[in-house]
Amino acid sequence: MENTPLTQDVELTVACYTDEGPPPPYHRKSSQPSPPSGDTLAIDMSGNTLVPHGGNMTSPESSRRRHKSEGAIPAATLNCQASGNNHLTPNQRKNSMFGSRSTISGIKFDDPYIDETGLTLMYSKHEKLPMKDFSLEVRAAMDVKNFLKKTVLILDLNKLSLDEIIDEILHKLLDSSGSKHSFDQARSALFTHDCVHQLSRTLQCTSISEGGGFDYDQNWICALASIPSIQSRHVGIARLHRPANLGTASQEVYFVIVVLTPTKEKGTKNELETGRTFATIMSDPELRMKLLEVNTESEFKEILEAHTNALAEKQKNWASEKAMFSAENQEQSSFRCSLFRGIREDLRRRIPVYVSDYKDGVVGNKSIQKTISTTLFLYFACLMPSIAFGVLNSNNTKGQLNVEKVLYSQTFGGLVFAFFGGTPHIVLLTTAPLALYTKIIYSICEDFDIDFPAMYACVGLWNSLFLFLYSAFDLSVLMKWSTRSSEEIFALFISIAFCVDAFKDAFRNFAAHYHIPACTLPATAGGQSAVNNSITSNLTDSLVNVVNTTVPPSGCERDVSLLYLLLLLGTLWLGVTLYNFTMTPYLNAGKRELLADYSLPVAVVIMSFFGSYIFRDVQLEASFIPSELSLDVFKLVPIYNLSVGAVFGAMGLGFCLSLLFFMDQNISAALVNAPQNKLKKGTSYHWDLLVCGVINAVLSLLAFPWVHAALPHSPLHVRALADVEERVDQGHIYQIVVRVRETRLTAIFSHILIGLSILILGFLAYIPTPVLYGLFLYVGVTALYGNQLFERIMLLITEQSAYPPNHYIRRVPQRKIHLFTLLQILQLAVLCALGFTPYPYLKMFFPVLIFLLIPLRHKVIPRFVHQKFLKAIDGH
């Protein structure tokens, strides 16, 4: 159970009533008007005083103010009081604060808190409460058992009004007693005022958000009340058919819990303790996801009972686990320089859950659906870049590293890491920086007449050796100094690199087919005569002449470039539209989620169909030319042909390359294991680095392209396997991760499909090149979701009134936010300048520059932005 305290709210409200009557207690999400409630009030326009029907006033000689939970004043008493008011003048009766009274269901209540101007004050108090300990507090389990025996459960309640929801629950709870008096008492006690229907006492759960702020669990709310006319406790739960907006911090409510207890009830059974029991249970987002998907009351009760037992067992073991972690920390502090300690700890964390890494892909609601959709997502997300980078490597190395070798590398590396890696969500891929580094090595080999495969293999082996040393000496602990800003700068650079590659190929296509001399209008005498003919000849002949003279000669293929642009942007538009389909009101929630899960495969298949069949008359270039499959590619590279100088030169190249692997692997792992993803099985930075080194050592011996953890594929893999919950804060909709399926099956299945795709390379060549690069744009754009750096860049051009209520907006001055953003943009610009420079040898130092982001953040940035602001704006 996460450290998410319960919050008890006693409404924070100052109510002001004017001639138009009381203001609405909250802004409803629904555009439909609120249905009329059972309250009936008339407004005396002259005195601005709320007056009940019938005009009866309360006597000022009342000896005591009645509490609202005491219910209605008996009719006889009202009549007596009305007759006793004769000593007041009519104007005094009308304007007296003691004459204010409201009604519920036609029964009149004394309300002496409204003055003659219609104003009243409401007291509010927010208090943190501890979570209920089901392992120690006997009453907690008994409360749940009592509820299961006396089930008051309403599934799929089709109401959006708070009044109607509460009425429905109260009828279920109290109608069996046959006492309308209890119903009115409960209704009056639950609300702050008879006509302002705002819950007076509620329980909700808060959780620590990114950067140290907190979020309310808006999925549920628990209302509490104690009334004198009941003899036993009552608990009712309603699951709404669609989320209701019940006010601030309760704008996406699916579950409403009502707890009623007798006024004279012992402390362990009062409304607060009973409410705390059910609030502790409902604070688990995974449980809420399960309860939203059940269809019957029996299923609901079974899940609730099973969760209660599991929670008690989990809390029982929590103390011993805490002591064990404390002992481990003491041991770590005493043996800081132990060799292979990090690898041993990684294996200690991951081996016990290895079997569950397979079960989690098929066990649980929607797990099989998520596994299939994520498998297809990974298949296309890895296959398309592999083909594109294979083409790029083939051009850079004159065919020595081609598409087939890239697919072999992807299949081997992906499968080995999926089976033996510590973090199954990490996706290995050959990337743009690796393609650039390969080009550098090939240029050096050409300049110094060195055998490229042997040099390439030697650099790769040195790289693997350095990775072994990094993992053996636990150098991944240096990543604790890597902050969110460094990670997001690099992630945004990768997104920019994907987009740059896509647009560079588009410009290349336009240069080859659109902006060519064959497509320009010839300024010849024939052209001028055509214009003269169009003036002097009849209209028909002139049009024919103009058309004949403006038809470009053979060789102009502007239609190719236009179709290229259509497919490129069409793939991006269709993919992103389907990816965001969950935010639309169309279809139902299940179908929207299904379309979003399959957004990338659907976009690729549809746009490939358009490019290859619908527009088959337009001759697009093949994405690549497949070669015949041969076993000769699996021969070991003769490294012994290298000279001693070349070997030591390869060591320098291998060291720089190892820095790129080290940073990319660890940054990807850090983004995957970010706290907001709520992964539970632990990290394995050192072991993952070791496995990556082994994989690339084997690939180097065969002169196959290298692979390492890929951005943004790895975080997108996590997102694809996640269940999310939507929340609303001041009109801004955002999503939080409820749980992530930590499974190896998706990576295994997708890379098996990639391996089988080698057999159908001839068909894959029909995938249009713009669709391949459209996928680059899709990956680059969707990776911007959740990137805080990109969000703050958008704030630079956003109206201040539209700023989202993020934690750093509340805690950091606006100038400091923009200053920190500009400093990040400056670092990003330097990365882009060096990463996209046309000078290959400068790109060798790109990995070093990435590593320098860490000391720059801790030594230079604090000189411009105070540390307390950095803690808020740059924390996970």
Side-chain angles (χ1 to χ4, degrees):
M1 178 67 65
E2 299 178 10
N3 186 16
T4 53
L6 299 175
T7 301
Q8 179 188 193
D9 294 340
V10 185
E11 293 302 328
L12 177 62
T13 312
V14 176
C16 178
Y17 304 92
T18 61
D19 290 347
E20 288 77 16
Y26 50 84
H27 173 70
R28 298 182 185 275
K29 186 175 179 181
S30 174
S31 59
Q32 299 177 353
S34 303
S37 65
D39 305 330
T40 307
L41 292 172
I43 301 177
D44 185 346
M45 303 303 293
S46 60
N48 297 332
T49 305
L50 299 176
V51 183
H53 284 297
N56 292 330
M57 298 294 178
T58 307
S59 172
E61 287 94 341
S62 297
S63 60
R64 175 177 68 88
R65 289 181 177 177
R66 297 175 59 83
H67 188 268
K68 59 184 177 181
S69 66
E70 297 181 50
I73 299 176
T77 305
L78 287 174
N79 293 333
C80 179
Q81 290 175 346
S83 62
N85 284 339
N86 292 331
H87 68 280
L88 295 176
T89 65
N91 190 52
Q92 287 175 329
R93 295 177 193 168
K94 180 171 62 176
N95 294 328
S96 173
M97 64 178 291
F98 298 100
S100 173
R101 192 177 294 120
S102 59
T103 62
I104 292 181
S105 304
I107 300 178
K108 300 176 181 178
F109 282 76
D110 187 13
D111 192 354
Y113 300 103
I114 301 177
D115 68 359
E116 64 275 5
T117 61
L119 297 177
T120 186
L121 299 177
M122 291 190 184
Y123 169 68
S124 171
K125 179 181 178 181
H126 296 269
E127 179 183 358
K128 287 196 301 183
L129 298 176
M131 305 289 280
K132 199 87 166 188
D133 192 336
F134 280 71
S135 64
L136 298 178
E137 300 185 47
V138 180
R139 177 57 56 186
M142 294 177 64
D143 288 341
V144 177
K145 290 180 180 179
N146 183 61
F147 169 75
L148 295 177
K149 291 179 181 178
K150 302 176 182 179
T151 304
V152 179
L153 178 63
I154 307 174
L155 297 181
D156 296 328
L157 179 61
N158 198 12
K159 305 289 184 183
L160 291 177
S161 165
L162 178 61
D163 303 349
E164 292 183 324
I165 295 170
I166 296 297
D167 283 352
E168 194 75 25
I169 298 175
L170 290 180
H171 280 303
K172 286 277 187 178
L173 288 173
L174 302 174
D175 278 0
S176 59
S177 65
S179 172
K180 192 170 188 307
H181 188 60
S182 298
F183 177 86
D184 292 324
Q185 280 188 346
R187 203 171 193 277
S188 180
L190 285 170
F191 292 112
T192 57
H193 194 280
D194 297 342
C195 59
V196 182
H197 285 171
Q198 200 168 18
L199 295 174
S200 58
R201 297 182 65 193
T202 61
L203 271 176
Q204 281 183 281
C205 185
T206 62
S207 57
I208 302 300
S209 63
E210 303 174 28
F214 71 93
D215 290 328
Y216 276 98
D217 276 356
Q218 301 188 25
N219 195 261
W220 62 277
I221 191 168
C222 179
L224 313 174
S226 63
I227 56 177
S229 61
I230 60 175
Q231 302 302 318
S232 61
R233 295 178 300 163
H234 297 277
V235 179
I237 300 179
R239 187 186 71 184
L240 306 184
H241 182 67
R242 57 179 63 88
N245 184 352
L246 303 185
T248 305
S250 304
Q251 301 179 48
E252 286 285 321
V253 175
Y254 270 105
F255 296 96
V256 178
I257 307 168
V258 174
V259 177
L260 300 177
T261 61
T263 304
K264 296 181 179 180
E265 184 66 271
K266 69 177 183 178
T268 58
K269 298 174 65 176
N270 63 19
E271 73 279 10
L272 183 57
E273 290 299 314
T274 306
R276 196 159 65 94
T277 297
F278 289 92
T280 300
I281 294 174
M282 296 301 293
S283 64
D284 188 345
E286 291 188 32
L287 172 68
R288 298 199 301 268
M289 293 290 291
K290 294 177 182 178
L291 295 180
L292 281 174
E293 293 153 358
V294 301
N295 298 317
T296 63
E297 289 189 8
S298 60
E299 293 177 352
F300 193 100
K301 291 191 293 181
E302 287 175 4
I303 292 176
L304 200 63
E305 184 176 14
H307 179 78
T308 303
N309 297 332
L311 182 59
E313 187 66 25
K314 185 177 181 180
Q315 291 176 334
K316 182 179 179 181
N317 297 330
W318 183 79
S320 59
E321 291 177 0
K322 184 178 180 182
M324 181 182 66
F325 291 149
S326 177
E328 286 182 357
N329 291 335
Q330 293 179 0
E331 182 183 353
Q332 290 177 9
S333 62
S334 59
F335 299 97
R336 293 184 178 179
C337 299
S338 176
L339 191 65
F340 298 112
R341 178 178 56 84
I343 294 177
R344 292 197 304 269
E345 291 176 355
D346 290 344
L347 294 177
R348 189 185 307 166
R349 280 191 295 266
R350 297 301 307 191
I351 289 178
V353 297
Y354 185 78
V355 175
S356 68
D357 288 343
Y358 296 92
K359 291 182 179 178
D360 289 352
V362 293
V363 176
N365 188 59
K366 292 185 179 179
S367 292
I368 295 179
Q369 172 189 326
K370 284 286 185 179
T371 298
I372 295 174
S373 63
T374 306
T375 296
L376 293 178
F377 163 76
L378 278 184
Y379 171 69
F380 285 99
C382 294
L383 178 67
M384 302 299 183
S386 296
I387 294 175
F389 288 129
V391 174
L392 181 61
N393 282 329
S394 180
N395 295 334
N396 292 337
T397 63
K398 297 182 179 178
Q400 297 196 52
L401 297 180
N402 52 25
V403 174
E404 290 82 354
K405 288 187 176 182
V406 172
L407 292 181
Y408 284 132
S409 294
Q410 185 64 41
T411 303
F412 172 76
L415 284 176
V416 171
F417 196 87
F419 279 110
F420 302 107
T423 309
H425 294 105
I426 290 180
V427 178
L428 299 189
L429 193 69
T430 186
T431 59
L434 290 181
L436 295 175
Y437 214 83
T438 301
K439 184 177 181 180
I440 294 171
I441 297 174
Y442 188 81
S443 300
I444 293 175
C445 291
E446 282 194 328
D447 293 342
F448 295 94
D449 194 23
I450 302 174
D451 182 45
F452 170 72
M455 186 68 172
Y456 181 85
C458 192
V459 172
L461 291 176
W462 278 114
N463 168 59
S464 296
L465 176 61
F466 287 119
L467 293 182
F468 295 157
L469 296 176
Y470 298 157
S471 60
F473 288 97
D474 303 338
L475 293 188
S476 290
V477 297
L478 295 176
M479 293 305 296
K480 69 180 181 180
W481 301 105
S482 177
T483 61
R484 180 173 188 145
S485 65
S486 304
E487 297 164 3
E488 292 191 336
I489 289 172
F490 184 67
L492 191 55
F493 169 79
I494 296 299
S495 295
I496 293 174
F498 273 107
C499 297
V500 167
D501 286 340
F503 287 119
K504 281 174 63 176
D505 196 75
F507 291 145
R508 190 182 304 113
N509 183 276
F510 269 73
H513 299 283
Y514 197 95
H515 297 294
I516 56 176
C519 291
T520 58
L521 290 176
T524 61
Q528 182 64 36
S529 63
V531 176
N532 293 334
N533 290 338
S534 65
I535 299 175
T536 58
S537 304
N538 60 66
L539 182 61
T540 304
D541 294 338
S542 66
L543 290 176
V544 171
N545 289 332
V546 169
V547 169
N548 288 336
T549 57
T550 57
V551 169
S554 59
C556 178
E557 297 175 330
R558 286 183 167 176
D559 52 342
V560 173
S561 297
L562 294 178
L563 180 59
Y564 187 104
L565 193 62
L566 172 66
L567 296 178
L568 178 73
L569 300 181
T571 304
L572 170 65
W573 172 82
L574 184 58
V576 173
T577 300
L578 294 178
Y579 183 81
N580 293 324
F581 206 74
T582 53
M583 301 180 184
T584 67
Y586 309 117
L587 305 178
N588 56 40
K591 293 183 176 63
R592 290 196 297 267
E593 183 179 4
L594 193 66
L595 284 174
D597 289 341
Y598 290 94
S599 57
L600 180 58
V602 169
V604 169
V605 171
I606 290 179
M607 300 313 294
S608 297
F609 175 75
F610 269 85
S612 300
Y613 183 77
I614 302 297
F615 294 98
R616 58 185 178 275
D617 294 335
V618 180
Q619 299 299 319
L620 288 174
E621 296 178 358
S623 55
F624 66 97
I625 300 175
S627 58
E628 294 184 2
L629 299 180
S630 174
L631 296 178
D632 294 338
V633 296
F634 296 104
K635 291 182 178 180
L636 295 179
V637 175
I639 304 178
Y640 50 82
N641 291 336
L642 293 178
S643 63
V644 176
V647 171
F648 281 99
M651 181 177 68
L653 291 173
F655 176 73
C656 291
L657 182 62
S658 68
L659 291 180
L660 176 62
F661 272 74
F662 179 82
M663 292 299 297
D664 215 333
Q665 186 76 29
N666 283 294
I667 288 178
S668 299
L671 292 175
V672 164
N673 291 289
Q676 59 266 27
N677 290 333
K678 299 180 181 178
L679 301 183
K680 299 179 179 179
K681 297 182 180 180
T683 60
S684 57
Y685 290 91
H686 314 283
W687 176 252
D688 287 342
L689 200 61
L690 179 64
V691 174
C692 184
V694 172
I695 291 172
N696 284 280
V698 175
L699 296 178
S700 299
L701 292 174
L702 299 173
F704 281 3
W706 303 307
V707 293
H708 62 56
L711 289 174
H713 295 72
S714 300
L716 290 177
H717 186 196
V718 176
R719 192 73 174 182
L721 287 169
D723 290 329
V724 298
E725 188 175 275
E726 283 191 355
R727 293 183 180 175
V728 182
D729 192 1
Q730 300 182 22
H732 295 269
I733 301 176
Y734 62 99
Q735 294 179 333
I736 65 163
V737 174
V738 174
R739 74 179 182 109
V740 175
R741 295 160 182 84
E742 301 182 52
T743 180
R744 300 176 184 269
L745 296 181
T746 52
I748 292 173
F749 292 156
S750 60
H751 285 90
I752 288 176
L753 292 177
I754 292 174
L756 295 176
S757 299
I758 300 175
L759 304 176
I760 55 170
L761 284 179
F763 294 97
L764 293 179
Y766 285 104
I767 298 178
T769 302
V771 175
L772 294 178
Y773 285 101
L775 180 140
F776 277 36
L777 292 179
Y778 169 88
V779 170
V781 170
T782 53
L784 299 177
Y785 292 91
N787 189 305
Q788 194 182 99
L789 171 58
F790 179 75
E791 293 175 359
R792 284 187 277 105
I793 291 175
M794 291 295 100
L795 292 183
L796 296 173
I797 56 174
T798 302
E799 185 180 359
Q800 294 186 17
S801 60
Y803 278 18
N806 292 334
H807 64 278
Y808 57 83
I809 298 293
R810 296 188 178 103
R811 299 171 59 186
V812 183
Q814 181 178 329
R815 290 184 180 180
K816 295 297 182 181
I817 293 175
H818 293 330
L819 175 60
F820 182 70
T821 304
L822 291 175
L823 291 174
Q824 284 186 287
I825 293 175
L826 180 61
Q827 298 172 67
L828 178 64
V830 174
L831 271 185
C832 292
L834 192 61
F836 303 134
T837 181
Y839 306 106
Y841 289 100
L842 284 179
K843 296 179 181 179
M844 293 173 53
F845 302 100
F846 177 76
V848 179
L849 192 60
I850 296 174
F851 190 81
L852 289 178
L853 291 177
I854 297 177
L856 189 68
R857 161 62 179 82
H858 291 281
K859 297 299 182 182
V860 178
I861 303 299
R863 298 179 181 271
F864 298 93
V865 183
H866 195 276
Q867 193 65 42
K868 69 175 183 179
F869 297 143
L870 289 175
K871 185 178 180 181
I873 201 173
D874 194 25
H876 280 292

